[in-house]
């Protein structure tokens, strides 16, 4: 009789522990699904969709193509960012520094980005035959051009700042030189 009770308690303990595990596992999965997206809002896509839906006045093809190209530029930037992040994140997951939930979130974002790029390519084909094959290359070149312009602007600002600092240093040297000469003149006049 006691061996039957022992078996019932043993099986009941296993069932109870599995239900507790299932409860926490389910909550963990829900937390992963509620996680924030890897990237923020896709503003250029929303602008493109708003232009498509605009009725008064209707958007011109040139406006739509420009908006689609801006959308492609944003997608290229995101793809490049994901490529950089993927190797680092994989290494962190491998080391156990970050959890699998972040890796899952990253792979979901990667799939969403792939779907976005496919949708972009399909949209590009509706404007011009063959544009789908070159839009990403064009967008990539434009992104690189913007990065170069930004870098040149930063370098020019740094150079301007350095020239301004040098001018201040030269001015201080001149003031110190004038003060020293004044002291010398005062000292020789006193003798």
């Amino acid at each position: 009789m006691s061996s039957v009770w022992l078996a019932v308690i043993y099986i009941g303990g296993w069932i109870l522990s599995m239900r507790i595990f299932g409860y926490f596992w389910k909550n963990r999965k829900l937390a992963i699904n509620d996680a924030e997206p890897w990237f923020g809002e896709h503003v250029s896509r929303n602008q493109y969709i708003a232009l498509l839906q605009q009725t008064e006045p209707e958007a011109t093809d040139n406006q739509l193509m420009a908006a689609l190209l801006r959308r492609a530029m944003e997608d290229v930037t995101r793809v490049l960012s994901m490529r950089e992040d993927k190797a680092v994140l994989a290494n962190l997951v491998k080391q156990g520094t970050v959890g699998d939930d972040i890796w899952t979130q990253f792979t979901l974002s990667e799939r969403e980005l792939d779907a976005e790029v496919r949708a972009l390519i399909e949209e590009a084909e509706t404007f011009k035959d063959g544009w789908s094959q070159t839009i990403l290359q064009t967008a990539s070149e434009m992104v690189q051009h913007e990065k170069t312009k930004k870098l040149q602007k930063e370098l020019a600002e740094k150079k301007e700042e350095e020239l301004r600092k040098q001018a201040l240093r030269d001015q201080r040297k001149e003031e110190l030189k004038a003060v020293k000469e004044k002291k010398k003149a005062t000292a020789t006049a006193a003798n």
Side-chain angles (χ1 to χ4, degrees):
M1 183 74 165
S2 67
S3 63
V4 171
W5 282 108
L6 186 60
V8 168
I9 291 173
Y10 181 75
I11 292 172
W14 271 107
I15 291 172
L16 181 63
S17 63
M18 288 296 139
R19 289 186 57 85
I20 291 172
F21 174 77
Y23 172 77
F24 285 112
W25 184 260
K26 180 181 172 185
N27 286 343
R28 182 175 174 266
K29 286 290 187 186
L30 289 175
I32 290 173
N33 292 338
D34 292 342
E36 292 183 27
W38 197 260
F39 296 106
E41 185 180 0
H42 201 312
V43 176
S44 55
R45 179 184 61 207
N46 295 344
Q47 289 173 344
Y48 173 75
I49 291 171
L51 276 175
L52 276 177
Q53 295 171 348
Q54 185 176 337
T55 56
E56 286 293 324
E58 241 181 70
T60 64
D61 281 347
N62 287 338
Q63 290 174 327
L64 291 172
M65 289 171 70
L68 188 64
L69 197 54
R70 180 58 62 181
R71 177 180 169 188
M73 288 173 63
E74 178 69 25
D75 288 345
V76 165
T77 304
R78 289 178 178 211
V79 166
L80 293 174
S81 175
M82 292 210 72
R83 282 183 187 168
E84 291 173 3
D85 294 348
K86 188 173 189 171
V88 174
L89 189 61
N91 193 19
L92 290 174
V93 169
K94 187 177 176 182
Q95 292 175 353
T97 307
V98 294
D100 289 334
D101 54 337
I102 293 177
W103 180 256
T104 304
Q105 179 184 0
F106 181 81
T107 55
L108 286 173
S109 296
E110 197 173 31
R111 282 190 230 130
E112 288 175 10
L113 186 59
D114 286 341
E116 164 64 22
V117 168
R118 276 189 248 110
L120 172 85
I121 289 171
E122 289 172 7
E123 286 284 330
E125 196 62 36
T126 62
F127 286 104
K128 254 195 233 179
D129 290 335
W131 195 33
S132 63
Q133 297 170 359
T134 60
I135 188 169
L136 291 176
Q137 178 64 32
T138 305
S140 179
E141 290 171 4
M142 290 175 69
V143 166
Q144 289 301 323
H145 180 72
E146 280 187 355
K147 283 182 182 179
T148 304
K149 277 177 53 177
K150 183 178 177 185
L151 210 83
Q152 287 174 344
K153 184 178 178 183
E154 288 174 1
L155 288 173
E157 288 173 357
K158 284 182 182 180
K159 189 173 184 178
E160 184 179 308
E161 180 69 22
E162 192 60 41
L163 289 174
R164 189 182 63 76
K165 286 180 181 179
Q166 187 62 38
L168 282 173
R169 282 189 219 118
D170 292 344
Q171 183 182 0
R172 286 184 189 142
K173 283 181 183 179
E174 291 295 323
E175 289 172 358
L176 284 173
K177 190 176 182 182
V179 168
K180 284 181 184 179
E181 288 177 3
K182 197 175 193 183
K183 282 183 183 180
K184 274 186 184 179
T186 309
T188 47
N191 287 334

